Structure formats: C-alpha cells, structure tokens
Amino acid sequence: MTGRGFVLALSGGIGGAKLALGLCRVLPPGALTVVANTGDDFTHLGLSISPDLDTLLYTLAGIDNPATGWGRRDESWTFMAALETLGGETWFRLGDGDLATHVERTRRLRAGESLSSITDDFRRRLGITARLLPMSDDPVRTRLLTDEGWLDFQDYFVRRRCAPAVRKIVFEGAAAARPQPQFRAALADDDLRLVVICPSNPLISIDPILAVAGVRDALKACPAPVVAVSPIIAGRAVKGPTAKMMAELGLPVDAAAVARHYAGLIDCFIVDEADGPALDGVEVATVAARTLMESMADRETLARVVLNAAGARQR
Ligand code: GDP
C-alpha cells in the first residue's frame, strides 16, 4: 500500500487499541481514523463514561496503563479510597486522573456539546494525530440476556466479571442511531484506502458498530478493501471474555468462527500463524502472521501486515 489516502479502523478497547496504535505509528500523521464502540458507555456516579473511547485516547496518547489494560498510567486512587470510606459504590474503579476525563466530558455533554466534538478536542489536547470518532453521537447500549436475566453491559462485564453465561446480546438504540457523520462520510470517501476491523471482541465491540443504522450496508458498498484481524489465537482470547462468550453462544472457539462471523463484509482475514493460513469453511482470503502484540514492534509489524494485505487486495 502506498502512503496515499486514509485508513479507517473499527475498534473496541484493549485489543483494538493495540493495533490502532501500531497503525498510527506506521501511517503518515492524519492518515488514520479510528471509530470506537460506544455500546459499553454508561452513566455512573452521575458521570458519562465511555470505556472504549477512553482506552483508545489513553493508548494513542501513550498514557495507558499496561498492567490493567484500562485507565491511565501512574494513576493515584485518592478519590476511590475516600469514596469507599463514605460507603460509596466502588465496583467500577475510577482513578484520579481518569476521573478528570469523565467529569469534563459530562460537563460538556450537559452543556450541549456532542460526544464527537468533546472526543476530538480531548485527542488534540493529548497530542493524538489520528482522528478518533465515536460510532454514533446517539446512545446505543449493549445489554446481555444471561442465565441470571438481563444485565446492562458494565453490570455483566465489571460488576459480575463476565461470570454469568450469555444467551443473547442486544444493542439498544442501534437501529435508530445515526452513524457519526464523519464515519458515514469516510465509508463513501474516494480517499479511503482500507477499512481495518481490529482484533476486538466481535460480539460486544465490533457488532455494536455494525449494528448502527446503515453501517453494515455502507461497509459492504464501500470501495476500499476491508481487512479483519483475528482476536482468537490458537482457540483462546488473549484477554477478556471473547472465547467464553463464543462458546456460550454456540460458536466454535476458533479463528475460523470469527472469519465466518464477518462473512460478506471482509475481503481478507489476518489469522495467527498458529492457526492458518487455511481455515475450515472460510472462503475469504487469509494471511497468516504473528498477531500477538506484546511489544511496540509487534504492534507496528502487524499494522504493516494489514496494510500490505490490503494493498494486494483492491475491491
Ligand atoms: P475491550 O472492549 O476492552 O474488551 O477490548 P477489545 O474488544 O478491543 O479487545 C478484546 C479482544 O482483544 C479479545 O478478544 C482479545 O483476544 C483481543 N486481543 C487482545 N490483545 C491481543 C493481541 O495482542 N493480539 C490479538 N490478535 N488479539 C488481541
């Protein structure tokens, strides 16, 4: 792939942000737009929290916490400790620096500013050259039907630590939500060179983005190739509940099942060298590579693999 045009990456939090950082570092400044899942967003302690946007902001700014995978590096916890003393809710951990993000976002949302505009200002202030967009400025809320009944996303993910078995996942509001305007425009832009579906959880990080009204059709119609990277390596998720959820929903826990999940949308699937290149029942072209991103070099190398795969596969 040449340096011309721009790349659009669809991402959740931890896994997606790692590849987004690799792409940001190997592409020219301004040549990357990242679209984040906002189905995990919720209101907590009166604050508007956008976990995937924040993981992307902190990761792309180089201030992420590598130990937790969420929140900020070198964080202090005075607020949380004080809240605990007062008997407040502490199941969702908010570090002192992280708290500033939520307080400021909430203040500006209440003053009538859009989530897009606030996010764009935050990313500029944090020195991020990539554009970062919420999938929509309209609310979409992921909810899960589990063996303990219906749960809001953060109740399932953080409070219950993904323990309940998942039966069904819905994205409330998605069918009526409008894609963020720059996201919608990007999918029809002649300058779009590539769409990357990052190695995020397909069921709760990428599916909410695809569920926003018109996104799936726009992706099918977009002139640029679409390349997805597997979040499943050798039958396991690197982190989080992806494998557990796939099994509970009756899917085989392997990279091929992820590729089949994206059938009709993608032109190329990047699979770990432990799994591919041949995948059972997968008709789309596959490329085998090291997909575990431990070091910064791993992130950049995988980003180059993705860009090269796209260059070989114009629509
Ligand atoms: P969340 O919103 O924070 O859960 O983040 P994502 O959905 O973006 O990321 C979770 C997914 O990332 C899991 O399915 C992991 O298996 C995957 N993941 C995390 N790190 C890596 C990695 O280094 N390589 C690959 N291929 N997948 C990864």
Side-chain angles (χ1 to χ4, degrees):
M1 195 175 115
T2 66
R4 277 192 56 245
F6 72 98
V7 171
L8 187 70
L10 311 186
S11 175
I14 297 173
K18 286 193 207 172
L19 182 60
L21 179 60
L23 288 164
C24 192
R25 289 171 62 95
V26 304
L27 285 165
L32 176 66
T33 298
V34 183
V35 173
N37 167 42
T38 54
D40 304 4
D41 290 15
F42 75 130
T43 304
H44 182 60
L45 306 176
L47 301 171
S48 299
I49 301 182
S50 298
D52 288 352
L53 276 175
D54 292 343
T55 296
L56 282 159
L57 276 173
Y58 298 153
T59 302
L60 293 171
I63 56 171
D64 57 307
N65 185 335
T68 54
W70 52 267
R72 294 175 70 131
R73 184 173 302 216
D74 302 325
E75 188 61 282
S76 59
W77 299 92
T78 306
F79 166 74
M80 221 65 243
L83 188 64
E84 188 159 16
T85 309
L86 297 174
E89 277 192 63
T90 55
W91 59 272
F92 194 87
R93 312 284 298 158
L94 295 170
D96 298 336
D98 190 28
L99 189 60
T101 307
H102 312 310
V103 168
E104 180 60 3
R105 175 191 291 125
T106 305
R107 182 189 72 75
R108 289 169 70 163
L109 283 170
R110 284 195 188 142
E113 200 173 338
S114 69
L115 182 60
S116 306
S117 160
I118 299 164
T119 304
D120 193 53
D121 186 47
F122 282 3
R123 69 98 183 166
R124 282 173 203 270
R125 288 173 186 273
L126 291 171
I128 298 168
T129 57
R131 273 200 305 185
L132 178 58
L133 310 173
M135 63 192 195
S136 175
D137 280 315
D138 301 324
V140 176
R141 295 294 171 261
T142 299
R143 301 193 74 226
L144 302 99
L145 179 61
T146 72
D147 56 359
E148 299 179 7
W150 282 100
L151 293 175
D152 289 341
F153 183 79
Q154 298 299 343
D155 279 336
Y156 163 78
F157 200 71
V158 179
R159 201 201 287 259
R160 294 290 294 114
R161 295 171 195 220
C162 310
V166 176
R167 304 277 176 250
K168 188 180 174 186
I169 305 170
V170 296
F171 310 114
E172 281 182 5
R178 292 155 299 179
Q180 197 281 344
Q182 288 164 293
F183 173 28
R184 191 182 43 220
L187 285 171
D189 192 325
D190 284 345
D191 253 5
L192 178 64
R193 285 283 161 270
L194 163 66
V195 180
V196 183
I197 299 182
C198 287
S200 290
N201 186 325
L203 306 171
I204 51 171
S205 292
I206 301 299
D207 278 359
I209 304 177
L210 301 177
V212 172
V215 167
R216 195 175 275 277
D217 287 343
L219 205 54
K220 280 185 191 159
C222 98
V226 180
V227 176
V229 179
S230 179
I232 296 288
I233 302 177
R236 301 178 62 166
V238 179
K239 200 169 189 298
T242 308
K244 178 176 178 284
M245 293 175 98
M246 288 174 77
E248 289 164 357
L249 290 170
L251 295 166
V253 184
D254 55 28
V258 178
R260 287 195 297 272
H261 187 77
Y262 294 136
L265 286 180
I266 61 173
D267 301 287
C268 180
F269 189 64
I270 314 280
V271 66
D272 196 83
E273 53 203 7
D275 295 310
L279 294 178
D280 280 351
V282 174
E283 299 194 349
V284 76
T286 57
V287 171
R290 174 182 158 85
T291 65
L292 185 62
M293 293 172 281
E294 291 176 314
S295 65
M296 192 62 80
D298 291 338
R299 288 161 173 73
E300 293 177 3
T301 305
L302 185 55
R304 288 199 184 91
V305 168
V306 171
L307 298 176
N308 288 337
R313 200 155 295 284
Q314 296 304 325
R315 271 192 170 175

